[in-house]
Amino acid sequence: MRRYTRNMRGYGPQAPNANWPNGAKVAVQFVLNYEEGGENCLLHGDAGSEGFLSDIPGAAPWAGQRHWNMESIYEYGARAGFWRLHRLFTGADIPVTIYGVASALARNPEQVAAMKSAGWEIASHGLKWVEHKDMPEDEERAAIAEAVRLHTEVVGERPRGWYTGRCSMNTVALVAEEGGFDYISDTYDDDLPHWMEFGDRDQLIIPYTLEANDMRFAGAPGWVTGQDFGDYLIDAFDTLYAEGEAGAPKMMSVGLHCRLVGRPGKIAGLKKFIDHIQAHSDVWCPRRIEVAEHWASHHPHKRIERPSTMTKDRFVSLYGGIFEHSAWIAERAFELELGPAHDCAAGVHNALCRMFRSATDHERLGVLLAHPDLAGKLAAAGRLTAESTSEQASAGLNMLTDEERETFTALNTDYVAKHGFPFIIAVRDHDKASILAAFKRRINNDRDTEFAEACRQVERIAEFRLQDLFA
């Protein structure tokens, strides 16, 4: 059994209505990453200096050495940038979520006091601002536990949200395993919160952003001026606000760093953005934990039976009759590389159709022959499958006049004699009159043309059946 674990589907074409408080058209959530004092540094027991997210072009770690310039840039974030941002957000009466590196918080008690006094949420940004990608699983598990312990000791309460940033493939599962987090933000995969399942735990995910983020002042392609950043944020907001006005409200995350947008030449664009959103009505600016509480209350997780995680017996029992009396199609489809994208009607339909299309002509003919005549003897005798009975009834084929029945009988006989299989049409796309018209038109096709058309109709019938099943 091959299974593809990445989730490319998400909510699909119909995302839930976020139902933000007071009918807000968009939720704009500001995150301030507090990493100053938690970055790579020999003083912190690391093997080299920091090389990430600074104003030093092309910076790289210095193995075994301290980097005076890099350290001083991070110090600017703590000494000046934080306070400039603190004044901006408290003055605008907008609460923020801090992604706080536990070791950085421990080294900056005055800033922690200011965060708490402002009523800001302090979520965990890990133990240290370092890469997790090469950490052994047990080491990373221990680092997560120590981050929670130290955070609780420094802040006075445990973090309810988590964002690593420089995470490994194990991080999200390990944080969910810890069991105490209302949300995790180590994804960038949606404009709305969503749920993930880890064993018995239903974990809320609130996606973050790397594009509406001042980190692009420190990389390419990136922002050159504060106005670049502000204009981008405004464009993103205007798009989401319009979607909210159309009945599909979303969430916008804005990522900030003390040492980056905290500089005077960069913060002007952020101020422009804040002025812009405050000039609009129906905008909610929550802390991240409030988004989590809202989503858990209004959109609690519901576990469903997923085709991609079914046993073969269960998969075939559910989908073996989608193609009339042809369970072999479902048996083969089960062996495909199924994943979350197949946990919907369109996904199962695609998998089944692939096996039907790749079958031999003889096998596909068998599927066509398994279909009953329209309004034929099996229907009259009540021997159709439940699906076929319902489909034919939907077009009124169960209530024919004697004349109509004679017409269908004659057409069925002539069609089978010419083509060697029954006339097949997705009756839900038609009424009685259009079915008769199609019957009279298609009976004159050559066999190859009609074989291809019959196969298309079989796939369409399967599509309707799956939509019913998933509804």
Side-chain angles (χ1 to χ4, degrees):
M1 183 174 73
R2 295 181 296 155
R3 293 296 178 261
Y4 189 70
T5 57
R6 294 174 64 195
N7 189 341
M8 305 292 195
R9 180 171 181 261
Y11 288 117
Q14 296 295 329
N17 188 317
N19 193 25
W20 299 130
N22 300 313
K25 297 179 176 65
V26 61
V28 181
Q29 202 287 305
F30 293 90
V31 168
L32 180 57
N33 294 265
Y34 199 86
E35 299 153 352
E36 287 74 13
E39 78 278 14
N40 283 284
C41 178
L42 264 64
L43 293 178
H44 306 159
D46 301 306
S49 65
E50 185 56 66
F52 191 45
L53 290 188
S54 79
D55 287 321
I56 301 174
W62 289 5
Q65 297 184 59
R66 291 178 63 186
H67 193 314
W68 182 268
N69 292 345
M70 181 64 73
E71 289 182 20
S72 68
I73 286 174
Y74 272 77
E75 288 159 13
Y76 181 94
R79 293 162 56 119
F82 171 82
W83 298 110
R84 182 170 287 119
L85 288 161
H86 183 269
R87 290 190 294 271
L88 173 63
F89 282 106
T90 55
D93 197 25
I94 294 177
V96 306
T97 290
I98 297 290
Y99 283 166
V101 174
S103 54
L105 297 176
R107 294 182 173 112
N108 292 273
E110 199 166 21
Q111 290 88 335
V112 171
M115 298 170 192
K116 294 175 67 176
S117 178
W120 293 354
E121 175 198 4
I122 308 178
S124 182
H125 198 10
L127 178 61
K128 300 173 68 175
W129 177 230
V130 297
E131 289 283 3
H132 283 222
K133 67 181 180 67
D134 296 321
M135 281 189 189
E137 186 173 320
D138 286 347
E139 181 181 331
E140 186 172 14
R141 182 181 286 108
I144 292 167
E146 177 59 13
V148 173
R149 186 205 67 77
L150 181 58
H151 183 111
T152 304
E153 180 181 282
V154 171
V155 176
E157 58 185 7
R158 71 154 289 147
R160 295 172 61 189
W162 178 280
Y163 174 72
T164 311
R166 301 159 86 169
C167 63
S168 75
M169 288 300 297
N170 298 319
T171 302
V172 174
L174 290 174
V175 176
E177 174 191 287
E178 196 273 344
F181 288 97
D182 291 57
Y183 70 88
I184 300 172
S185 287
D186 274 303
T187 71
Y188 314 96
D189 57 3
D190 214 301
D191 296 314
L192 289 172
H194 58 86
W195 296 90
M196 293 181 70
E197 298 172 1
F198 296 92
D200 293 334
R201 180 168 177 78
D202 299 331
Q203 180 63 62
L204 181 63
I205 305 296
I206 304 182
Y208 187 46
T209 176
L210 297 181
E211 45 84 40
N213 193 311
D214 69 354
M215 67 180 290
R216 291 179 61 183
F217 281 114
W223 319 122
V224 176
T225 70
Q227 294 306 310
D228 293 337
F229 184 40
D231 288 346
Y232 184 87
L233 295 180
I234 288 171
D235 286 346
F237 171 83
D238 288 348
T239 298
L240 294 174
Y241 193 86
E243 291 180 7
E245 288 186 309
K250 303 292 194 309
M251 176 180 176
M252 178 179 178
S253 296
V254 180
L256 308 170
H257 298 77
C258 301
R259 63 193 174 279
L260 295 176
V261 79
R263 295 278 180 174
K266 297 170 182 173
I267 202 170
L270 179 60
K271 289 180 177 178
K272 177 181 176 182
F273 174 66
I274 290 174
D275 290 342
H276 182 75
I277 67 173
Q278 291 192 324
H280 287 71
S281 60
D282 301 326
V283 178
W284 185 38
C285 291
R287 302 173 303 168
R288 224 159 175 80
I289 189 60
E290 289 156 353
V291 175
E293 291 168 346
H294 173 86
W295 206 262
S297 173
H298 288 76
H299 303 280
H301 185 53
K302 298 177 182 178
R303 294 203 172 201
I304 61 171
E305 191 174 24
R306 301 179 184 279
S308 65
T309 61
M310 289 177 182
T311 65
K312 185 171 185 177
D313 286 347
R314 179 59 175 161
F315 188 90
V316 175
S317 72
L318 277 180
Y319 308 122
I322 297 299
F323 281 72
E324 195 89 358
H325 297 298
S326 302
W328 60 267
I329 295 176
E331 290 171 355
R332 293 182 188 178
F334 181 81
E335 305 300 332
L336 291 172
E337 185 189 69
L338 304 180
H342 297 91
D343 293 338
C344 59
V348 175
H349 184 252
N350 182 267
L352 296 176
C353 287
R354 285 177 59 188
M355 296 299 91
F356 177 60
R357 294 166 189 164
S358 61
T360 65
D361 284 350
H362 178 72
E363 289 172 321
R364 288 191 291 159
L365 176 60
V367 176
L368 302 188
L369 292 172
H371 278 259
D373 289 333
L374 288 184
K377 294 180 180 179
L378 290 179
R383 293 169 54 197
L384 299 180
T385 63
E387 294 85 357
S388 290
T389 298
S390 174
E391 288 156 1
Q392 294 203 21
S394 71
L397 300 185
N398 62 332
M399 299 180 66
L400 299 178
T401 66
D402 289 342
E403 181 180 353
E404 289 170 336
R405 192 175 306 282
E406 289 176 5
T407 299
F408 270 102
T409 299
L411 286 170
N412 281 326
T413 300
D414 292 345
Y415 185 95
V416 173
K418 179 174 182 179
H419 297 299
F421 48 84
F423 176 76
I424 300 172
I425 191 168
V427 296
R428 289 202 224 174
D429 285 326
H430 299 273
D431 58 22
K432 189 163 51 180
S434 65
I435 291 171
L436 273 172
F439 214 150
K440 293 174 180 178
R441 182 183 70 255
R442 284 173 50 188
I443 198 170
N444 296 315
N445 288 337
D446 62 77
R447 187 184 185 282
D448 288 347
T449 298
E450 196 53 24
F451 185 87
E453 180 59 31
C455 288
R456 282 192 290 271
Q457 293 297 320
V458 164
E459 292 186 9
R460 179 66 169 157
I461 292 168
E463 182 179 5
F464 280 124
R465 291 179 177 182
L466 284 165
Q467 288 172 355
D468 289 344
L469 197 57
F470 276 84

